[in-house]
Amino acid sequence: MRSLIRLDRDLRVDIVRGFALWAIFVNHTPGNVMGAVTPRNYTLSDATEAFVLLAGYAAGLAYGIVMDRQGWFFAASRVMGRVFTLYVAHIFLLVVFTAQVGFSAERLDAAAYLDELHLDPFATDPYRALLEALMLRYQPSFLNILPLYIVVLAMFAVAMPLMRRAWLMLGLSAALWLAARLFDLSLPSWRGEDWFFNPLAWQLLFFIGCALGYRPPAGRPIAVPWRRWAGGLCWALLAAGAVMTVLIYFHWDFAEARLPAFAPWLAAIDKASLHPLRLATMLALTYLIAHLVRRDAAWLRSDPGLVLALLGQQALPVFCVGIALSFLGRLALEASDAWWMQAVVNLLGAAALVALAVLTAWYGGEKRAPRRPRTEGLPAGPPADRA
């Protein structure tokens, strides 16, 4: 497996992204006991923030090099090619997910699945629902991350030259984020519901990742040096965020009864438009990991670390299959919540994700490998004879 992993990259990025993909699979499986160890239970940000920030980092690093070597137009065409790949993956996942949920709802006489996962339009108005889904104006539950990624990556294709003036890019991005929050700006949707992840707000996290990932050919990349006081502020923010997370998700009755002035403020910490505290939490985690985990740390190349790195390097197929597997895991846990079923769901789910990552990494390596010249039909003998 080690030969399938690109070790010349920053493995911290791949490992965090691999962990985020595993957490997405676990968090989308209701009743999964492993959900207790995912970040959403003790921080105000979760796997989605990590996924978007690191997607921006990878885009700034990879496409920035292409732009500097071959120009903006060629780099933008590469980005739009990636957008098309993401769109096809989203439609494929939509079909698979809708089919498995609809079949399960019919066989198990559980129409609640359709309502809960916002798939009921396929039962009442299937042709319109399919058309709106193709235009990204209708997004069932669990199928809203890729549309976000598609839109912000398309925005990146246009704004890519601004990476050379990083602070201007970040200023414009922050202004758009602030306007989206203050004036409730969002992209249009089918039934009047806002996007679950508002791209006009979430683009800020993506472009922060771009600014951190871009390596200009002349000049220095953006760097945030270590300061002890800044590290202390990050730890304090994470500690306060942990308390707020517990109050919001586990002791809300206590917050409403004992903290009546504070509870409405807690309830306003939204995910759809990337609340400032969620943004700050993700940036604090990034600052601490970047400075406290050395790039050459030995554990990054340990077996568990390399497994997560492999998942992170094959993010798109692992994400899509993880979403599909999460519903199957839900069905299994609803049939039995015993410890052995929990073990089966988590072990088989993780094994399937790793096996898929191995397969896609191997296939990608085979495609990139140089082809040997064909020698069929040549007589065996010394080179001079063959000449």
Side-chain angles (χ1 to χ4, degrees):
M1 185 182 70
R2 186 178 291 265
S3 63
L4 300 174
I5 301 172
R6 294 185 56 186
L7 298 176
D8 57 329
R9 296 160 49 135
D10 189 341
L11 291 182
R12 296 174 300 178
V13 174
D14 293 325
I15 288 173
V16 172
R17 183 156 52 181
F19 178 79
L21 290 166
W22 171 80
I24 288 173
F25 160 70
V26 170
N27 291 337
H28 286 75
T29 308
N32 193 331
V33 296
M34 293 301 295
V37 301
T38 56
R40 69 173 183 176
N41 296 301
Y42 47 87
T43 67
L44 287 174
S45 62
D46 58 21
T48 308
E49 280 87 352
F51 189 81
V52 173
L53 177 70
L54 295 180
Y57 180 90
L61 180 63
Y63 295 113
I65 294 175
V66 177
M67 178 182 67
D68 291 330
R69 291 178 179 175
Q70 297 176 276
W72 166 77
F73 183 81
F74 183 82
S77 67
R78 293 283 298 272
V79 173
M80 294 309 296
R82 181 62 174 172
V83 168
F84 179 74
T85 300
L86 292 169
Y87 179 78
V88 172
H90 171 67
I91 298 305
F92 176 78
L93 179 58
L94 171 73
V95 172
V96 172
F97 188 73
T98 303
Q100 68 174 165
V101 174
F103 179 80
S104 301
E106 190 271 332
R107 288 291 181 175
L108 301 176
D109 193 21
Y113 289 155
L114 299 178
D115 296 333
E116 179 184 341
L117 299 174
H118 297 171
L119 287 169
D120 47 297
F122 278 105
T124 57
D125 194 359
Y127 300 113
R128 178 67 184 276
L130 180 58
L131 176 63
E132 298 291 347
L134 291 174
M135 295 190 296
L136 303 183
R137 284 162 42 93
Y138 162 52
Q139 300 165 17
S141 297
F142 299 177
L143 303 182
N144 34 44
I145 295 180
L146 285 182
L148 166 66
Y149 192 11
I150 289 169
V151 172
V152 296
L153 200 58
M155 295 170 65
F156 170 69
V158 177
M160 196 184 310
L162 289 176
M163 287 195 298
R164 292 168 176 158
R165 302 181 65 182
W167 292 112
L168 174 61
M169 179 184 71
L170 292 177
L172 294 174
S173 178
L176 179 57
W177 167 76
L178 188 61
R181 290 194 57 84
L182 291 179
F183 303 109
D184 197 24
L185 302 178
S186 184
L187 297 184
S189 59
W190 174 23
R191 299 187 294 179
E193 302 171 351
D194 291 334
W195 283 46
F196 187 79
F197 297 112
N198 184 356
L200 301 183
W202 280 77
Q203 51 78 30
L204 175 58
L205 194 56
F206 182 87
F207 280 108
I208 290 174
C210 292
L212 294 175
Y214 178 58
R215 299 294 182 265
R220 296 181 180 180
I222 284 185
V224 185
W226 172 256
R227 296 289 185 268
R228 184 173 297 180
W229 61 266
L233 285 179
C234 289
W235 284 117
L237 175 62
L238 294 181
V243 174
M244 288 185 279
T245 302
V246 170
L247 289 174
I248 293 171
Y249 295 109
F250 302 105
H251 296 287
W252 182 246
D253 292 339
F254 173 84
E256 285 188 309
R258 300 295 182 89
L259 304 169
F262 189 51
W265 187 81
L266 284 177
I269 301 177
D270 66 298
K271 187 173 185 178
S273 293
L274 191 61
H275 191 274
L277 276 178
R278 296 186 69 97
L279 173 64
T281 299
M282 189 69 252
L283 296 182
L285 285 169
T286 302
Y287 185 79
L288 293 175
I289 292 174
H291 287 290
L292 300 183
V293 179
R294 295 181 51 175
R295 184 169 181 167
D296 58 351
W299 68 268
L300 297 176
R301 287 171 168 76
S302 64
D303 289 340
L306 291 179
V307 168
L308 289 175
L310 180 62
L311 294 178
Q313 292 182 5
Q314 307 300 326
L316 181 58
V318 170
F319 169 79
C320 292
V321 172
I323 293 295
L325 288 178
S326 66
F327 184 74
L328 296 179
R330 171 181 181 166
L331 295 179
L333 292 178
E334 287 179 350
S336 173
D337 195 27
W339 68 267
W340 61 269
M341 183 61 79
Q342 291 279 353
V344 167
V345 167
N346 284 286
L347 291 177
L348 288 184
L353 296 181
V354 173
L356 175 69
V358 169
L359 180 62
T360 53
W362 171 82
Y363 181 70
E366 288 292 305
K367 288 178 64 178
R368 290 190 298 268
R371 295 186 177 182
R372 297 180 180 179
R374 296 183 60 183
T375 58
E376 293 85 357
L378 294 178
D385 294 342
R386 291 200 297 271

